[in-house]
Amino acid sequence: MAAKEELYSKIIPRRLRQNRASNAVKQGSHLDVLLSMGFPQSRALKALVSTGGRSVQLACDWLFSHVDDPFLDDPLPREYVLYLRPSGPLQNQLNHFWQQSRLTCGKNKAHNIFPHITLCQFFMCADSKVEALCGALQSSVSQWRGRFPSPLPLELYTSANFIGLFVEEQVAETLKKFAADFAAEAASKADVHVEPHKKQLHVTLAYHFPSSHLASLEKLARGIEVKLGCDWLAVLFSRDIRFANHETLRVMYPYVPQNEDELELVPGDFVFTSSVEQMSTSEGWVYGTSLSTGVSGLLPENYVSRADECDTWGNSTNFSKFLLNYLYEALFINVLQVLRINSHCRTPKRTLFVCRHGERMDVVFGKHWLSQCSDAKGRYVRTNLNMPPFLPAWGGGHRDYDMDAPITVFGAMQARTVGEALLETNTTIDFIYSSPSLRCVQTAHEILKGMQLDGKLRIRVEPALFEWTKWVSGSSLPAWISPTDLAAANLSVDTTYRPHISISKLNVAESYETYMSRSYKVTKEVLADCKNKGGNVLMVGHASSLEACTRQLQGQTLRNSKEFIQIVRKIPYLGMCACEEQDSGVWQLVDPPILPLTHGPNHSFNWRETLQQE
């Protein structure tokens, strides 16, 4: 305990150490609910701040996942920073530069953080003061709304090891006055000391790169149209100060600990390590702390990969990219969504959304899952709550589900959650297409239910959206349920739709190039067919669909098949991407309007084997 106090004394100012546990401020009804559930106020506040104050459910999940976190009851404050983040056309241009510069020249230091203008230095704020801090930002933005020029004047600057867009000096002084006003409001309302940024205000494009890359990076930077329209968003981000100087690693593969000092790994989680902690570890192993649980331990080095620092930051468009408990989160989303500077209207652009299906039965329960839930007469009887209560009846019989598995109950919940999130963000879907796989059709149906569009919008079953047939086991394609039988099973399927590519055109064990060409062809035809009718298109397919349906649409050349497979392996259930049509007619990947969805593993539980074990 003494050692811990000594550590904190080095990183926390004395004034904060004296006052960090006092003057707790309620953060709306969420705090009241958590307190009524019996959680101590310090834990409830920490959970709300760590999850961005988005909901009671997320705060509860955070508390339950951190039950073994040795720092759960520690009153350490978090660190905060205020950024201006671009959105709209300029953001798309910057994102394109980010992607192209990385592909052309590899990663440089700028890739660790998303495009932004720094308005203040990192500062600390106790959990009990966070609501007041958000109020200070809201008050400052309200006073300054409409007082910034649009578009913000930016000028390209390049040197031997730095490229950036600098704010014109007079306007930069105006932004600094805004930051100073926020600092004064933060001191008054939250008793927090904020140091406004004193250096030249700019958006960093690249730095710490080899001199041989300067010409290529400069050429890409000159392609950025700095006069494009842009909404600049004033956003607060926070981070756990324990991990401020740690390396960020992304968990790629699951790992179950074999010894007490080892750390359980769940794909999608992040692990933080420091060079100091690695001094005594064995070769091939590292010591780290899980972001999702707060627990530390040894882990195999080849189960993780280095992540960009920006992978653990919140999202610019809606401040809430679903990085639950990751290093940086946007705070109090409902408060900050109104904090727009220089908002101006622009014509909405068509967007193509591509989404993977939900959790599938044969992955959870094994490829012979059907034998686990069939009675003596071969009738379907579920034996686990994650199995659907019934299966759609169709002419092929249950045996064909071996080749065309449905989604689980959790898979349906995942899809409805995505639909509800799309509804909450006012996202419109005008056309919905699905692979003929049952798991995709069911996922599309549940998304429509979440959006309250079931019965109003019909799913167009398109065989060409099926995954790479090389991955099909056996010598023939699955015997998919017909649209008529799907509709008879109360799925919102358009029985009048005529596919662009018929099932008869699909061949088993097709080449990689054939699959990509098929996916690109049907995507172009679908978008052309829907263009005259306007609106957004959602395609529900497979993990491979996100790359196959958007890569060539952006005018990019194909990756080789090995790279393609590595990308596909990283796409989780309900993984979604958004591709937006630009004025030039080219399509470009943009941030989806909703948060990602992370779902951890849950092992089967038999109370007899566990609780009655001698």
Side-chain angles (χ1 to χ4, degrees):
M1 182 62 70
K4 183 190 291 187
E5 288 298 321
E6 182 181 354
L7 172 64
Y8 296 157
S9 67
K10 295 178 180 179
I11 58 178
I12 306 176
R14 179 172 299 175
R15 184 173 60 84
L16 280 176
R17 295 203 304 273
Q18 293 170 343
N19 299 330
R20 61 192 178 186
S22 63
N23 301 322
V25 179
K26 287 189 176 182
Q27 297 175 17
S29 61
H30 290 172
L31 178 59
D32 295 333
V33 173
L34 291 173
L35 295 178
S36 69
M37 296 169 67
F39 291 110
Q41 180 165 298
S42 60
R43 289 191 177 188
L45 281 169
K46 181 173 288 190
L48 285 171
V49 170
S50 297
T51 58
R54 292 190 284 270
S55 72
V56 171
Q57 183 61 56
L58 291 181
C60 286
D61 291 344
W62 187 93
L63 286 165
F64 292 140
S65 66
H66 280 73
V67 67
D68 294 322
D69 185 346
F71 295 91
L72 180 60
D73 294 312
D74 197 286
L76 269 176
R78 294 174 72 84
E79 270 192 326
Y80 295 81
V81 69
L82 178 63
Y83 286 158
L84 279 186
R85 291 211 56 188
S87 67
L90 179 58
Q91 180 203 21
N92 295 336
Q93 291 256 332
L94 292 172
N95 287 342
H96 180 69
F97 172 85
W98 240 245
Q99 296 167 4
Q100 293 302 311
S101 62
R102 191 161 190 167
L103 287 173
T104 304
C105 303
K107 179 181 175 182
N108 63 69
K109 286 288 187 179
H111 287 113
N112 279 326
I113 303 177
F114 45 70
H116 68 280
I117 296 174
T118 302
L119 292 184
C120 72
Q121 306 302 316
F122 274 99
F123 60 92
M124 285 184 285
C125 179
D127 295 344
S128 60
K129 302 286 188 179
V130 171
E131 186 181 26
L133 180 66
C134 290
L137 178 58
Q138 186 176 30
S139 176
S140 300
V141 171
S142 298
Q143 295 174 27
W144 280 82
R145 194 184 304 279
R147 295 167 62 182
F148 298 110
S150 178
L152 204 66
L154 299 172
E155 183 178 352
L156 178 65
Y157 170 83
T158 63
S159 67
N161 59 4
F162 177 88
I163 300 176
L165 299 173
F166 280 77
V167 182
E168 189 271 329
E169 185 174 352
Q170 185 174 354
V171 176
E173 290 304 313
T174 303
L175 292 179
K176 289 179 180 179
K177 290 178 182 177
F178 164 71
D181 280 1
F182 165 69
E185 288 284 340
S188 173
K189 288 182 167 60
D191 191 27
V192 169
H193 176 70
V194 177
E195 186 69 31
H197 194 64
K198 292 185 172 63
K199 297 180 180 179
Q200 290 179 289
L201 301 186
H202 64 276
V203 178
T204 300
L205 297 179
Y207 75 103
H208 282 197
F209 51 82
S211 57
S212 58
H213 293 169
L214 176 60
S216 297
L217 291 171
E218 187 174 6
K219 181 179 179 181
L220 289 171
R222 293 191 183 282
I224 300 174
E225 300 177 51
V226 295
K227 294 184 179 180
L228 285 175
C230 178
D231 288 339
W232 288 91
L233 313 176
V235 194
L236 274 174
F237 291 95
S238 78
R239 68 181 181 186
D240 187 326
I241 60 175
R242 291 179 295 161
F243 306 132
N245 298 311
H246 285 50
E247 182 179 16
T248 307
L249 303 174
R250 187 193 304 274
V251 177
M252 304 301 298
Y253 309 105
Y255 179 75
V256 178
Q258 307 297 312
N259 299 292
E260 290 185 359
D261 60 349
E262 295 176 0
L263 182 65
E264 181 178 7
L265 300 181
V266 176
D269 189 14
F270 285 89
V271 173
F272 299 101
T273 66
S274 73
S275 57
V276 175
E277 293 170 333
Q278 308 314 317
M279 295 177 63
S280 60
T281 58
S282 302
E283 185 176 354
W285 290 77
V286 295
Y287 187 86
T289 302
S290 163
L291 185 61
S292 65
T293 65
V295 177
S296 302
L298 293 169
L299 58 133
E301 191 172 12
N302 57 352
Y303 279 54
V304 294
S305 64
R306 182 170 298 178
D308 296 339
E309 188 175 350
C310 63
D311 289 342
T312 57
W313 288 54
N315 177 271
S316 64
T317 304
N318 57 12
F319 312 146
S320 52
K321 193 172 185 178
F322 194 69
L323 302 175
L324 176 58
N325 303 330
Y326 290 3
L327 180 57
Y328 296 78
E329 303 93 21
L331 303 176
F332 296 93
I333 286 36
N334 292 333
V335 174
L336 294 179
Q337 280 178 333
V338 300
L339 305 183
R340 284 180 173 266
I341 301 175
N342 293 335
S343 180
H344 57 89
C345 297
R346 65 185 180 95
T347 304
K349 295 181 178 179
R350 280 205 307 160
T351 303
L352 167 67
F353 300 100
V354 187
C355 182
R356 187 190 178 190
H357 58 76
E359 182 181 79
R360 49 191 285 182
M361 285 281 285
D362 53 346
V363 171
V364 176
F365 298 103
K367 65 178 182 178
H368 301 300
W369 62 272
L370 199 55
S371 63
Q372 303 175 32
C373 45
S374 298
D375 62 13
K377 296 183 179 180
R379 294 172 298 192
Y380 173 79
V381 179
R382 72 171 178 174
T383 57
N384 188 285
L385 288 177
N386 198 23
M387 294 179 173
F390 59 87
L391 298 179
W394 60 298
H398 286 164
R399 66 183 182 280
D400 286 323
Y401 285 116
D402 284 339
M403 291 281 286
D404 190 22
I407 58 176
T408 63
V409 171
F410 280 130
M413 292 172 60
Q414 291 170 332
R416 280 198 303 277
T417 299
V418 166
E420 291 167 355
L422 290 169
L423 179 65
E424 290 174 1
T425 56
N426 297 316
T427 302
T428 58
I429 300 296
D430 301 280
F431 306 94
I432 183 167
Y433 291 77
S434 172
S435 159
S437 294
L438 177 58
R439 58 188 179 273
C440 298
V441 177
Q442 289 178 318
T443 298
H445 176 76
E446 296 296 335
I447 290 176
L448 290 180
K449 287 177 67 175
M451 297 187 73
Q452 300 179 12
L453 292 176
D454 51 319
K456 301 176 184 177
L457 192 61
R458 298 288 177 180
I459 303 164
R460 297 176 172 183
V461 179
E462 180 56 64
L465 291 178
F466 184 60
E467 65 186 347
W468 189 4
T469 61
K470 176 184 176 180
W471 292 332
V472 174
S473 59
S475 58
S476 61
L477 296 174
W480 295 300
I481 305 178
S482 70
T484 302
D485 286 336
L486 290 169
N490 296 319
L491 295 170
S492 300
V493 172
D494 184 353
T495 57
T496 65
Y497 174 70
R498 296 294 174 263
H500 288 273
I501 299 177
S502 65
I503 293 177
S504 62
K505 298 294 185 180
L506 301 184
N507 298 310
V508 178
E510 66 188 338
S511 68
Y512 167 63
E513 290 75 16
T514 300
Y515 167 60
M516 297 297 286
S517 175
R518 157 167 64 92
S519 301
Y520 177 43
K521 181 175 185 294
V522 73
T523 302
K524 285 198 304 179
E525 292 181 0
V526 163
L527 292 173
D529 185 46
C530 298
K531 183 171 185 178
N532 295 332
K533 304 166 189 176
N536 298 332
V537 176
L538 169 61
M539 291 180 171
V540 181
H542 308 265
S544 56
S545 303
L546 278 71
E547 169 83 356
C549 293
T550 64
R551 179 75 180 178
Q552 291 163 281
L553 193 64
Q554 301 172 75
Q556 297 181 345
T557 57
L558 294 182
R559 307 178 197 271
N560 63 51
S561 59
K562 290 184 179 180
E563 292 174 336
F564 170 75
I565 292 171
Q566 290 300 316
I567 288 175
V568 171
R569 287 175 176 169
K570 298 176 183 178
I571 298 174
Y573 293 127
L574 270 301
M576 176 183 286
C577 69
C579 204
E580 187 178 76
E581 186 178 26
Q582 305 300 301
D583 294 334
S584 61
V586 175
W587 291 76
Q588 182 176 314
L589 286 177
V590 296
D591 290 318
I594 63 172
L595 305 169
L597 176 67
T598 302
H599 178 227
N602 188 58
H603 303 293
S604 179
F605 172 65
N606 185 310
W607 69 271
R608 293 182 185 276
E609 294 179 359
T610 303
L611 303 181
Q612 291 189 337
Q613 188 177 25
E614 296 297 336

